[in-house]
Amino acid sequence: MTATSLPVPLQTVGLLVASNVFMTFAWYGHLKNLADRTWLVAALLSWGIALFEYLLQVPANRIGATQFSVGQLKILQEVITLSVFVPFAVFYLREPLKWDYLWAGLCMVGAVYFMFRSA
């Protein structure tokens, strides 16, 4: 089975999840790994990581746009972002797990409902 034989929603979500892993490391990984470096070094390394995010995110949105509206793609992206960020924050950055993540996730469920209800 090739990637193009997968259903569009699965291709889109898979690429967005992979993209978000790179995005999360680019945006927040430097807080742990490069805390002793200048912001310029952190920014340049983060941009290098972000390139891989874009190499996955752009095709994800192009593929997804064949079946989803732009608003649906955006809220899908946000749900995936939170789903990737929370484990990253807890396990990699050692941030405490807070109830606020659950409440934010529940708000996202509402957003998903409203964006996809007329689909």
Side-chain angles (χ1 to χ4, degrees), residues 98-116:
K98 298 177 356 181
W99 283 103
D100 292 341
Y101 292 129
L102 174 64
W103 307 139
L106 290 174
C107 289
M108 292 279 192
V109 169
V112 168
Y113 168 76
F114 286 112
M115 292 308 296
F116 282 87

Side-chain angles (χ1 to χ4, degrees), residues 8-65:
V8 167
L10 193 56
Q11 290 179 53
T12 303
V13 168
L15 286 167
L16 287 175
V17 168
S19 162
N20 265 274
V21 169
F22 284 105
M23 179 191 76
T24 302
F25 269 97
W27 284 23
Y28 303 102
H30 64 87
L31 296 174
K32 178 177 181 178
N33 299 325
L34 301 172
D36 59 337
R37 302 292 187 97
T38 66
W39 74 266
L40 184 59
V41 169
L44 292 173
L45 288 170
S46 292
W47 284 342
I49 295 169
L51 170 66
F52 294 100
E53 182 237 335
Y54 278 96
L55 292 173
L56 297 167
Q57 179 268 333
V58 170
N61 282 336
R62 286 178 172 241
I63 292 166

Side-chain angles (χ1 to χ4, degrees), residues 62-73:
R62 286 178 172 241
I63 292 166
T66 65
Q67 190 165 332
F68 299 113
S69 71
V70 174
Q72 289 171 331
L73 280 171

